[in-house]
Short mmCIF file of all heavy atoms in Angstrom, two decimals:
data_model
loop_
_atom_site.label_atom_id
_atom_site.label_comp_id
_atom_site.label_asym_id
_atom_site.label_seq_id
_atom_site.Cartn_x
_atom_site.Cartn_y
_atom_site.Cartn_z
N ILE A 1 2.31 -2.64 -1.48
CA ILE A 1 2.05 -1.58 -0.50
C ILE A 1 3.20 -0.56 -0.53
O ILE A 1 2.97 0.66 -0.56
CB ILE A 1 1.88 -2.14 0.92
CG1 ILE A 1 0.55 -2.85 1.04
CG2 ILE A 1 1.98 -1.04 1.97
CD1 ILE A 1 0.36 -3.62 2.33
N VAL A 2 4.42 -1.06 -0.51
CA VAL A 2 5.58 -0.18 -0.50
C VAL A 2 5.63 0.68 -1.75
O VAL A 2 5.76 1.92 -1.67
CB VAL A 2 6.89 -0.98 -0.34
CG1 VAL A 2 8.11 -0.10 -0.57
CG2 VAL A 2 6.95 -1.64 1.02
N PHE A 3 5.50 0.05 -2.92
CA PHE A 3 5.55 0.81 -4.16
C PHE A 3 4.40 1.83 -4.27
O PHE A 3 4.61 2.95 -4.69
CB PHE A 3 5.56 -0.12 -5.38
CG PHE A 3 6.91 -0.72 -5.66
CD1 PHE A 3 7.04 -2.08 -5.74
CD2 PHE A 3 8.02 0.07 -5.83
CE1 PHE A 3 8.27 -2.66 -5.99
CE2 PHE A 3 9.26 -0.48 -6.09
CZ PHE A 3 9.40 -1.84 -6.17
N LEU A 4 3.21 1.40 -3.89
CA LEU A 4 2.05 2.29 -3.97
C LEU A 4 2.23 3.48 -3.03
O LEU A 4 1.96 4.64 -3.42
CB LEU A 4 0.79 1.53 -3.65
CG LEU A 4 -0.51 2.32 -3.76
CD1 LEU A 4 -0.72 2.83 -5.16
CD2 LEU A 4 -1.68 1.45 -3.32
N THR A 5 2.71 3.24 -1.83
CA THR A 5 2.89 4.31 -0.86
C THR A 5 3.95 5.28 -1.32
O THR A 5 3.77 6.51 -1.28
CB THR A 5 3.24 3.74 0.52
OG1 THR A 5 2.22 2.82 0.93
CG2 THR A 5 3.39 4.83 1.56
N VAL A 6 5.07 4.76 -1.79
CA VAL A 6 6.17 5.62 -2.26
C VAL A 6 5.70 6.44 -3.48
O VAL A 6 5.93 7.65 -3.56
CB VAL A 6 7.42 4.79 -2.62
CG1 VAL A 6 8.45 5.63 -3.36
CG2 VAL A 6 8.02 4.22 -1.34
N ALA A 7 5.00 5.80 -4.41
CA ALA A 7 4.52 6.52 -5.59
C ALA A 7 3.51 7.59 -5.19
O ALA A 7 3.56 8.71 -5.74
CB ALA A 7 3.87 5.52 -6.57
N ASP A 8 2.63 7.28 -4.27
CA ASP A 8 1.64 8.27 -3.84
C ASP A 8 2.32 9.45 -3.18
O ASP A 8 1.98 10.61 -3.47
CB ASP A 8 0.64 7.62 -2.89
CG ASP A 8 -0.48 8.56 -2.52
OD1 ASP A 8 -1.09 9.14 -3.44
OD2 ASP A 8 -0.77 8.71 -1.31
N VAL A 9 3.29 9.20 -2.30
CA VAL A 9 3.98 10.31 -1.62
C VAL A 9 4.75 11.13 -2.65
O VAL A 9 4.71 12.38 -2.63
CB VAL A 9 4.93 9.76 -0.53
CG1 VAL A 9 5.87 10.85 -0.02
CG2 VAL A 9 4.13 9.15 0.61
N PHE A 10 5.41 10.48 -3.59
CA PHE A 10 6.18 11.21 -4.61
C PHE A 10 5.24 12.05 -5.50
O PHE A 10 5.52 13.21 -5.79
CB PHE A 10 6.98 10.22 -5.45
CG PHE A 10 7.80 10.88 -6.52
CD1 PHE A 10 8.95 11.59 -6.21
CD2 PHE A 10 7.40 10.81 -7.85
CE1 PHE A 10 9.68 12.20 -7.18
CE2 PHE A 10 8.15 11.42 -8.84
CZ PHE A 10 9.30 12.13 -8.52
N LEU A 11 4.14 11.45 -5.95
CA LEU A 11 3.24 12.16 -6.82
C LEU A 11 2.51 13.29 -6.10
O LEU A 11 2.08 14.25 -6.74
CB LEU A 11 2.24 11.19 -7.46
CG LEU A 11 2.87 10.26 -8.50
CD1 LEU A 11 1.83 9.24 -8.97
CD2 LEU A 11 3.42 11.05 -9.67
N ARG A 12 2.36 13.20 -4.80
CA ARG A 12 1.74 14.30 -4.04
C ARG A 12 2.61 15.56 -4.10
O ARG A 12 2.07 16.67 -3.97
CB ARG A 12 1.51 13.89 -2.59
CG ARG A 12 0.30 13.00 -2.43
CD ARG A 12 0.06 12.62 -0.97
NE ARG A 12 -0.98 11.62 -0.88
CZ ARG A 12 -2.27 11.91 -0.78
NH1 ARG A 12 -2.66 13.16 -0.73
NH2 ARG A 12 -3.16 10.95 -0.70
N LEU A 13 3.90 15.38 -4.32
CA LEU A 13 4.76 16.58 -4.47
C LEU A 13 4.33 17.38 -5.70
O LEU A 13 4.50 18.60 -5.73
CB LEU A 13 6.23 16.14 -4.63
CG LEU A 13 6.87 15.49 -3.41
CD1 LEU A 13 8.25 14.97 -3.78
CD2 LEU A 13 6.93 16.46 -2.26
N PHE A 14 3.78 16.70 -6.69
CA PHE A 14 3.32 17.37 -7.92
C PHE A 14 1.80 17.56 -7.92
O PHE A 14 1.20 17.79 -8.98
CB PHE A 14 3.76 16.55 -9.14
CG PHE A 14 5.24 16.33 -9.20
CD1 PHE A 14 5.79 15.12 -8.86
CD2 PHE A 14 6.10 17.35 -9.57
CE1 PHE A 14 7.16 14.92 -8.90
CE2 PHE A 14 7.47 17.17 -9.61
CZ PHE A 14 7.99 15.96 -9.27
N LYS A 15 1.19 17.41 -6.75
CA LYS A 15 -0.26 17.54 -6.58
C LYS A 15 -1.03 16.55 -7.46
O LYS A 15 -2.08 16.87 -8.01
CB LYS A 15 -0.68 18.99 -6.87
CG LYS A 15 0.08 20.03 -6.06
CD LYS A 15 -0.85 21.02 -5.45
CE LYS A 15 -0.10 22.11 -4.75
NZ LYS A 15 0.49 21.76 -3.52
N LEU A 16 -0.50 15.33 -7.57
CA LEU A 16 -1.14 14.24 -8.34
C LEU A 16 -1.23 12.97 -7.47
O LEU A 16 -0.65 11.95 -7.80
CB LEU A 16 -0.34 13.92 -9.59
CG LEU A 16 -0.19 15.02 -10.64
CD1 LEU A 16 0.86 14.66 -11.65
CD2 LEU A 16 -1.53 15.27 -11.29
N PRO A 17 -1.98 13.02 -6.37
CA PRO A 17 -2.05 11.84 -5.50
C PRO A 17 -2.75 10.69 -6.24
O PRO A 17 -3.56 10.90 -7.14
CB PRO A 17 -2.87 12.31 -4.31
CG PRO A 17 -3.71 13.43 -4.85
CD PRO A 17 -2.86 14.10 -5.91
N ILE A 18 -2.43 9.47 -5.83
CA ILE A 18 -3.09 8.29 -6.39
C ILE A 18 -4.38 8.09 -5.63
O ILE A 18 -4.38 7.90 -4.41
CB ILE A 18 -2.17 7.07 -6.27
CG1 ILE A 18 -0.88 7.28 -7.05
CG2 ILE A 18 -2.91 5.81 -6.77
CD1 ILE A 18 0.15 6.19 -6.84
N GLU A 19 -5.48 8.11 -6.35
CA GLU A 19 -6.79 8.01 -5.72
C GLU A 19 -7.00 6.59 -5.21
O GLU A 19 -6.72 5.62 -5.90
CB GLU A 19 -7.88 8.36 -6.73
CG GLU A 19 -9.21 8.66 -6.08
CD GLU A 19 -10.19 9.27 -7.05
OE1 GLU A 19 -9.76 10.11 -7.86
OE2 GLU A 19 -11.36 8.90 -6.96
N GLY A 20 -7.49 6.48 -3.98
CA GLY A 20 -7.80 5.18 -3.40
C GLY A 20 -6.61 4.47 -2.77
O GLY A 20 -6.70 3.30 -2.42
N THR A 21 -5.52 5.18 -2.58
CA THR A 21 -4.33 4.54 -1.99
C THR A 21 -4.63 3.96 -0.62
O THR A 21 -4.24 2.84 -0.31
CB THR A 21 -3.18 5.56 -1.88
OG1 THR A 21 -2.85 6.02 -3.20
CG2 THR A 21 -1.96 4.96 -1.24
N TYR A 22 -5.37 4.71 0.19
CA TYR A 22 -5.68 4.27 1.53
C TYR A 22 -6.45 2.94 1.51
O TYR A 22 -6.17 2.01 2.25
CB TYR A 22 -6.46 5.34 2.29
CG TYR A 22 -6.84 4.96 3.68
CD1 TYR A 22 -5.90 4.98 4.71
CD2 TYR A 22 -8.12 4.52 3.98
CE1 TYR A 22 -6.23 4.60 5.99
CE2 TYR A 22 -8.47 4.15 5.26
CZ TYR A 22 -7.54 4.18 6.27
OH TYR A 22 -7.86 3.79 7.53
N GLU A 23 -7.45 2.86 0.59
CA GLU A 23 -8.25 1.65 0.48
C GLU A 23 -7.41 0.45 0.04
O GLU A 23 -7.52 -0.63 0.60
CB GLU A 23 -9.37 1.85 -0.55
CG GLU A 23 -10.40 2.82 -0.12
CD GLU A 23 -11.42 3.08 -1.22
OE1 GLU A 23 -11.29 2.52 -2.32
OE2 GLU A 23 -12.34 3.85 -0.97
N ILE A 24 -6.59 0.66 -0.96
CA ILE A 24 -5.76 -0.45 -1.48
C ILE A 24 -4.78 -0.91 -0.42
O ILE A 24 -4.61 -2.11 -0.21
CB ILE A 24 -5.04 -0.01 -2.77
CG1 ILE A 24 -6.06 0.29 -3.87
CG2 ILE A 24 -4.08 -1.09 -3.23
CD1 ILE A 24 -5.45 0.97 -5.09
N VAL A 25 -4.13 0.04 0.24
CA VAL A 25 -3.16 -0.32 1.28
C VAL A 25 -3.85 -1.04 2.43
O VAL A 25 -3.30 -2.00 2.99
CB VAL A 25 -2.39 0.94 1.77
CG1 VAL A 25 -1.60 0.66 3.03
CG2 VAL A 25 -1.46 1.46 0.67
N SER A 26 -5.04 -0.62 2.80
CA SER A 26 -5.78 -1.30 3.87
C SER A 26 -6.09 -2.74 3.49
O SER A 26 -5.89 -3.67 4.30
CB SER A 26 -7.08 -0.56 4.17
OG SER A 26 -6.82 0.72 4.65
N MET A 27 -6.59 -2.95 2.28
CA MET A 27 -6.92 -4.31 1.87
C MET A 27 -5.66 -5.18 1.74
O MET A 27 -5.66 -6.33 2.15
CB MET A 27 -7.68 -4.27 0.55
CG MET A 27 -9.08 -3.77 0.65
SD MET A 27 -9.92 -3.87 -0.95
CE MET A 27 -11.45 -3.07 -0.58
N LEU A 28 -4.62 -4.60 1.16
CA LEU A 28 -3.37 -5.36 1.01
C LEU A 28 -2.75 -5.66 2.38
O LEU A 28 -2.12 -6.68 2.55
CB LEU A 28 -2.39 -4.61 0.11
CG LEU A 28 -2.75 -4.57 -1.37
CD1 LEU A 28 -1.74 -3.71 -2.14
CD2 LEU A 28 -2.82 -5.95 -1.96
N GLY A 29 -2.94 -4.74 3.34
CA GLY A 29 -2.43 -4.98 4.69
C GLY A 29 -3.09 -6.20 5.31
O GLY A 29 -2.42 -7.01 5.98
N ALA A 30 -4.39 -6.35 5.11
CA ALA A 30 -5.08 -7.53 5.62
C ALA A 30 -4.54 -8.78 4.94
O ALA A 30 -4.36 -9.83 5.59
CB ALA A 30 -6.57 -7.40 5.38
N VAL A 31 -4.26 -8.70 3.66
CA VAL A 31 -3.70 -9.84 2.92
C VAL A 31 -2.31 -10.19 3.47
O VAL A 31 -2.01 -11.36 3.70
CB VAL A 31 -3.65 -9.57 1.40
CG1 VAL A 31 -2.85 -10.62 0.65
CG2 VAL A 31 -5.06 -9.46 0.84
N VAL A 32 -1.49 -9.19 3.67
CA VAL A 32 -0.13 -9.44 4.19
C VAL A 32 -0.18 -10.15 5.53
O VAL A 32 0.48 -11.17 5.74
CB VAL A 32 0.67 -8.11 4.31
CG1 VAL A 32 1.96 -8.32 5.08
CG2 VAL A 32 0.96 -7.54 2.94
N ILE A 33 -0.98 -9.62 6.44
CA ILE A 33 -1.04 -10.21 7.77
C ILE A 33 -1.63 -11.61 7.74
O ILE A 33 -1.07 -12.57 8.26
CB ILE A 33 -1.82 -9.29 8.74
CG1 ILE A 33 -1.06 -7.99 8.96
CG2 ILE A 33 -2.09 -9.98 10.06
CD1 ILE A 33 -1.86 -6.91 9.62
N GLY A 34 -2.80 -11.72 7.14
CA GLY A 34 -3.50 -13.01 7.13
C GLY A 34 -2.75 -14.11 6.39
O GLY A 34 -2.64 -15.23 6.87
N PHE A 35 -2.20 -13.76 5.22
CA PHE A 35 -1.56 -14.78 4.41
C PHE A 35 -0.19 -15.20 4.94
O PHE A 35 0.32 -16.24 4.53
CB PHE A 35 -1.44 -14.29 2.96
CG PHE A 35 -2.73 -14.36 2.17
CD1 PHE A 35 -3.94 -13.98 2.74
CD2 PHE A 35 -2.74 -14.79 0.88
CE1 PHE A 35 -5.13 -14.04 2.03
CE2 PHE A 35 -3.91 -14.86 0.14
CZ PHE A 35 -5.12 -14.48 0.73
N ALA A 36 0.40 -14.40 5.81
CA ALA A 36 1.73 -14.74 6.35
C ALA A 36 1.66 -15.56 7.63
O ALA A 36 2.66 -16.15 8.03
CB ALA A 36 2.52 -13.46 6.61
N ILE A 37 0.49 -15.64 8.25
CA ILE A 37 0.38 -16.33 9.54
C ILE A 37 0.77 -17.81 9.46
O ILE A 37 1.57 -18.27 10.29
CB ILE A 37 -1.03 -16.14 10.13
CG1 ILE A 37 -1.20 -14.70 10.61
CG2 ILE A 37 -1.30 -17.09 11.29
CD1 ILE A 37 -2.61 -14.36 11.05
N PRO A 38 0.27 -18.59 8.51
CA PRO A 38 0.64 -20.02 8.50
C PRO A 38 2.13 -20.27 8.32
O PRO A 38 2.73 -21.11 9.01
CB PRO A 38 -0.15 -20.59 7.31
CG PRO A 38 -1.33 -19.66 7.16
CD PRO A 38 -0.79 -18.32 7.52
N GLN A 39 2.78 -19.50 7.44
CA GLN A 39 4.22 -19.68 7.23
C GLN A 39 5.00 -19.26 8.48
O GLN A 39 6.00 -19.90 8.85
CB GLN A 39 4.72 -18.90 6.01
CG GLN A 39 6.17 -19.05 5.72
CD GLN A 39 6.57 -20.44 5.26
OE1 GLN A 39 5.75 -21.18 4.72
NE2 GLN A 39 7.81 -20.82 5.48
N THR A 40 4.55 -18.22 9.13
CA THR A 40 5.20 -17.78 10.37
C THR A 40 5.12 -18.87 11.42
O THR A 40 6.10 -19.10 12.17
CB THR A 40 4.53 -16.49 10.89
OG1 THR A 40 4.58 -15.50 9.86
CG2 THR A 40 5.22 -15.98 12.13
N THR A 41 4.04 -19.59 11.49
CA THR A 41 3.89 -20.69 12.43
C THR A 41 4.84 -21.82 12.08
O THR A 41 5.49 -22.40 12.95
CB THR A 41 2.43 -21.20 12.45
OG1 THR A 41 1.59 -20.13 12.86
CG2 THR A 41 2.28 -22.37 13.42
N ILE A 42 4.93 -22.15 10.79
CA ILE A 42 5.85 -23.21 10.37
C ILE A 42 7.28 -22.86 10.71
O ILE A 42 8.04 -23.71 11.18
CB ILE A 42 5.69 -23.50 8.85
CG1 ILE A 42 4.38 -24.22 8.60
CG2 ILE A 42 6.85 -24.32 8.31
CD1 ILE A 42 4.04 -24.44 7.14
#
């Protein structure tokens, strides 16, 4: 998520946004939250 967001912001300076960044970040955000819950409990 961090690398994709930084790359997208940087490439937008050159008018070359990464297509689908919002979708990928949304899906990865669900993975981050969901997959971290059990370890957080431990």
